[in-house]
Amino acid sequence: MIVHIDCNSFYASVEIVSHPELAGRPVVVANNNEAGGGIILALTKEAKKLGLRRGDPVFKVRKTLETNNVAMFDADLRKYRDMSRRIMKTVIEQEIIINFLQYSVDEFFGEIPVDDPPTVRQCLEQVVAVINDNCGIPVSCGCSCTYTLAKTATWFAKHYEAYNGICIITPEVREKALKKIPIEGIWGIGRRSAPRLKQYGIITAYDFASLGESVVNMLMTTTGVRTWRELHGIPAIDMTAPEHQQSIMHSRTFPFMVTELEKLHELLSNYAADVAANLRSDNCLCRTITVFVCTNPHRTDLPQYSNSDTARLAAATSNTQEIVRVALHLLDGIYAKGYKYKRMGIVLGGIVEDAGWQLDLFDKVNTSENRRLMEATDRLNAKYGRGTVRLSVQGSPSRKPPTPSTDTDSQPTPTKS
DNA sequence: TCTGGGGTCCTAGGACCC
DNA sequence: TCTGGGGTCCTAGGACCC
C-alpha cells in the first residue's frame, strides 16, 4: 500500500511551533512582506474562516488581516526546509513506513507492508502521532494502492473531519470515493484541463475514470492516461527520485519597477551569484543558462514586454564569474529600452554532477585556480555571511535591491547617481 | 501604491541525418 | 517536367505540481 503524508497549513504550522502562544489564532504566512506585501502562501483554518485564501495579494486583504488581528509572518523557507528534514528523519527512524521519500517541502510518499485496513490504520495513527510529538506539525494521511489514489485519500482526510486525518481507499470503496471528488480535486488534472473536461460533462473523478482509455488519450496527453490508470488502481507513476535536480532557478518580482539596464545588471549578477553558489553546494555543474525579464502583467495601462534567451556553454561550469558574465550578456540581448521591468530571473539547466563530468581539453573556465577561488569564496561566505565576498558588479553589500535610481510604479523619478 | 518562487514532464515542430 | 521516406535530436512553450 502507498502512503501519502501532507502537512496541514505547513508554513503556518511551523510558525506556530516557534510561537506556541498563537495556537488557535488566525495565522498567515506571506512572502515579500518587507517590500510592501506579496501573496498569502499558507494560512491556518482559523484564518480560512475569515474568508482568506491562499494566493490572496496581501494588499487586497489588509483590512481583514488588521481588523481580525491576524498574525502574519514573512516566509522563512530555510526554516520550513529544516522542519521538513526533521519530519523525514522522524518517520524513517520509526520504521513503520518504508521507502519513505520527500515529494515536496510539505508532502511525502512511502509504502506500508501490510494491507488489511484496520492494521494499516493503526500503523498510520502511530506515524501521525510521532510526527505530532517530535515535530509539532499536524498532518493528513492517505493510503491506497497507487500514488494518485493515496493523494485522493488525503484529500478526503483533509475535507472530512470524521476521518480524523487518516483515510484509506480500499478497492471496495474506490468507486464511491471517486464519485464524491470533483475532477479538479484529482492530482494531475489542473486548471486548464478541468474546465475542458467539464464541457464534456466530466464533473467528478468517477466520470473521468469511467471514460475509455483511448478517449482519455484523445482528450489529454500521456500524463492524463497515467492519472486515469492510477485511478483504476493500476500503478503508472514512477516516484524514484532523480540523483540531482535538473534545473536551478532564482527569480524575483521587484517591489518597484526598473527601467535602466545598469540596475538590472546589478540585480541579475546577484541572482546569478546566488544560483552559482547553490549549484556548487550541490556539487553540480550547469551546461545552459537562461535569463528572462518581464514587465508587470497586472498593469494593463503600461506597455508589456517579456523575453528570454538561453546560452549553451562550451564547458559545464559552476564558476560565478562565468555564470554572471554569460547571464549579463544574455540580458543585454533581451533588454528593450523604454519598458518598466517588474520581474527577472535566471535558470541554470543541463545540470550534471561535478565529479562525473568529463573535463574539456579547451576549457579555460574551470581551471584549478578558478576552482580554488570559488572554494575560498564559498568558505568565506559561509563563515561571514552570503555576499561578503562578491563581484564588484553585484553592488552594495546589503543585498537589498537599491532604490535611489529606480522608478516606483506610479512616478518615474529622475535618475540620481 | 501593493499580485511568489520554485520545480517537473510532455509535445509539436524544426533541423538535421541517411 | 518530375523532388521520398525513414529516422533522431533539440528546443520552446504549455500544463502540471508544491
Side-chain angles (χ1 to χ4, degrees):
Chain A
M1 298 284 273
I2 305 285
V3 177
H4 175 243
I5 293 176
D6 193 329
C7 301
N8 301 343
S9 313
F10 185 53
Y11 294 179
S13 297
V14 177
E15 293 302 342
I16 290 172
V17 170
S18 315
H19 307 86
E21 72 280 5
L22 293 176
R25 266 190 54 190
V27 175
V28 308
V29 175
N31 61 351
N32 238 352
N33 274 341
E34 279 179 30
I39 62 167
I40 293 178
L41 297 171
L43 61 172
T44 58
K45 60 176 188 293
E46 291 79 9
K48 282 176 194 157
K49 278 184 193 152
L50 300 172
L52 298 168
R53 290 290 170 265
R54 184 186 142 80
D56 284 343
V58 171
F59 78 90
K60 279 194 180 172
V61 294
R62 195 171 291 285
K63 202 161 182 188
T64 309
L65 295 170
E66 280 166 7
T67 52
N68 294 283
N69 196 20
V70 176
M72 180 152 76
F73 290 91
D74 216 355
D76 182 350
L77 299 181
R78 195 176 297 259
K79 185 155 87 176
Y80 309 146
R81 273 197 293 269
D82 286 345
M83 179 60 88
S84 198
R85 277 196 282 269
R86 200 163 129 195
I87 293 171
M88 199 65 201
K89 191 163 171 276
T90 296
V91 175
I92 288 172
E93 279 172 2
Q94 199 188 17
E95 292 183 339
I96 288 177
I97 296 181
I98 56 172
N99 296 331
F100 197 59
L101 58 89
Q102 189 155 16
Y103 171 68
S104 72
V105 71
D106 69 334
E107 282 184 47
F108 309 86
F109 280 108
E111 292 164 31
I112 194 156
V114 284
D115 53 9
D116 111 89
T119 317
V120 170
R121 189 169 183 96
Q122 220 176 4
C123 291
L124 295 180
E125 279 167 358
Q126 286 179 46
V127 173
V128 169
V130 79
I131 294 174
N132 219 325
D133 292 349
N134 288 8
C135 310
I137 301 294
V139 301
S140 301
C141 191
C143 185
S144 193
C145 57
T146 64
Y147 289 105
T148 306
L149 283 174
K151 283 247 326 176
T152 306
T154 305
W155 187 90
F156 281 99
K158 283 202 169 194
H159 282 76
Y160 295 90
E161 284 197 5
Y163 284 111
N164 238 333
I166 298 172
C167 174
I168 303 164
I169 296 183
T170 58
E172 296 76 43
V173 302
R174 188 181 62 87
E175 202 176 296
K176 195 175 148 200
L178 294 187
K179 281 180 179 167
K180 282 198 179 165
I181 187 165
I183 185 76
E184 64 270 19
I186 293 294
W187 186 40
I189 296 177
R191 61 180 205 285
R192 294 278 173 182
S193 301
R196 208 159 42 83
L197 291 169
K198 281 182 179 172
Q199 283 183 339
Y200 294 101
I202 302 155
I203 310 297
T204 66
Y206 179 76
D207 298 335
F208 180 69
S210 302
L211 299 170
E213 188 169 349
S214 54
V215 177
V216 176
N217 207 1
M218 269 165 49
L219 289 175
M220 308 178 75
T221 64
T222 53
T223 39
V225 175
R226 274 210 284 270
T227 299
W228 181 89
R229 294 177 74 92
E230 288 251 322
L231 288 178
H232 279 266
I234 306 161
I237 290 177
D238 177 17
M239 270 288 165
T240 44
E243 306 256 315
H244 53 76
Q245 278 177 221
Q246 323 233 324
S247 65
I248 301 181
M249 170 157 92
H250 189 93
S251 70
R252 284 289 176 274
T253 295
F254 318 136
F256 39 75
M257 297 206 200
V258 180
T259 54
E260 305 102 16
L261 181 60
E262 306 87 78
K263 188 55 59 189
L264 293 175
H265 266 214
E266 184 181 327
L267 292 166
L268 182 61
S269 53
N270 277 293
Y271 300 174
D274 256 9
V275 269
N278 288 340
L279 189 63
R280 289 194 295 275
S281 73
D282 287 349
N283 276 320
C284 284
L285 306 172
C286 70
R287 285 177 292 167
T288 65
I289 299 174
T290 301
V291 172
F292 63 88
V293 289
C294 55
T295 50
N296 187 346
H298 301 286
R299 290 292 298 269
T300 46
D301 55 321
L302 293 176
Q304 296 288 318
Y305 175 76
S306 70
N307 205 350
S308 76
D309 195 14
T310 300
R312 173 167 289 273
L313 303 175
T317 191
S318 62
N319 181 274
T320 295
Q321 281 142 292
E322 177 68 359
I323 290 171
V324 168
R325 187 185 67 77
V326 174
L328 294 182
H329 182 72
L330 289 169
L331 174 59
D332 290 345
I334 58 174
Y335 172 82
K337 213 170 157 59
Y339 291 98
K340 292 172 179 292
Y341 293 94
K342 185 66 176 168
R343 184 172 151 79
M344 177 170 61
I346 175 169
V347 186
L348 305 184
I351 308 250
V352 290
E353 270 177 61
D354 195 351
W357 187 248
Q358 201 175 356
L359 292 177
D360 188 320
L361 191 59
F362 302 103
D363 187 351
K364 297 280 192 297
V365 174
N366 302 298
T367 60
S368 59
E369 289 86 350
N370 273 343
R371 281 173 176 272
R372 280 165 51 213
L373 177 62
M374 287 301 107
E375 281 166 26
T377 304
D378 289 339
R379 274 203 303 275
L380 286 166
N381 285 340
K383 190 167 178 184
Y384 298 106
R386 267 199 172 185
T388 304
V389 179
R390 62 191 185 280
L391 302 175
S392 59
V393 68
Q394 288 175 248
S396 63
S398 74
R399 308 293 316 274
K400 285 196 176 174
T403 46
S405 63
T406 53
D407 294 346
T408 62
D409 279 17
S410 57
Q411 32 172 222
T413 48
T415 304
K416 286 188 282 184
S417 64

